[in-house]
Amino acid sequence: MAELSPKDILVDAVFMTTVRKIMEHGEQVPDYMLSGIQGDFTNFPMTHFYYGSNEVLYAEAPYFAKAFEKYGAPCAFHIGQGLCHCYPTFAFYPEGKQAQEEIISLL
């Protein structure tokens, strides 16, 4: 995440520490509630992950792949090369519009 942080125009790697503190709010919280990769994906439906290759959360992609594989859950990864966090929401860019249309067709 630290490596990708300078490239991500929307999310800084430091925010991941901050958001964890916000979610804990001084309480003990189970790991699976703080990190999606700790979840139980048994009988999970097909899941599509959209990441920009320049977003800090892209660093989590291999861990999600491993977690889904562990539970035999189907998933697909769509990577927007050179793009930032949440790029499919930016329909004013061709890449964002294409990804947004893909997501709508999947839904």
Side-chain angles (χ1 to χ4, degrees), residues 1-105:
M1 286 186 179
E3 229 176 85
L4 291 168
S5 195
K7 297 177 183 181
D8 193 334
I9 62 171
L10 295 177
V11 178
D12 189 275
V14 174
F15 179 67
M16 296 299 110
T17 304
T18 303
V19 78
R20 183 179 180 102
K21 289 177 185 174
I22 291 168
M23 293 181 345
E24 290 174 333
H25 197 63
E27 303 289 329
Q28 283 291 99
V29 179
D31 284 341
Y32 74 90
M33 290 183 175
L34 299 171
S35 173
I37 61 172
Q38 300 297 323
D40 180 341
F41 299 105
T42 303
N43 298 318
F44 222 66
M46 178 63 175
T47 301
H48 292 265
F49 291 89
Y50 279 77
Y51 288 106
S53 67
N54 286 349
E55 74 168 287
V56 296
L57 294 176
Y58 182 44
E60 293 280 300
Y63 300 102
F64 271 107
K66 189 174 179 178
F68 271 64
E69 184 180 328
K70 174 182 175 181
Y71 291 99
C75 66
F77 290 84
H78 309 267
I79 312 303
Q81 292 302 314
L83 300 174
C84 66
H85 178 69
C86 288
Y87 80 91
T89 64
F90 304 129
F92 46 86
Y93 291 121
E95 299 87 352
K97 184 176 179 76
Q98 179 184 349
Q100 193 174 90
E101 288 173 354
E102 287 174 14
I103 292 168
I104 290 168
S105 72

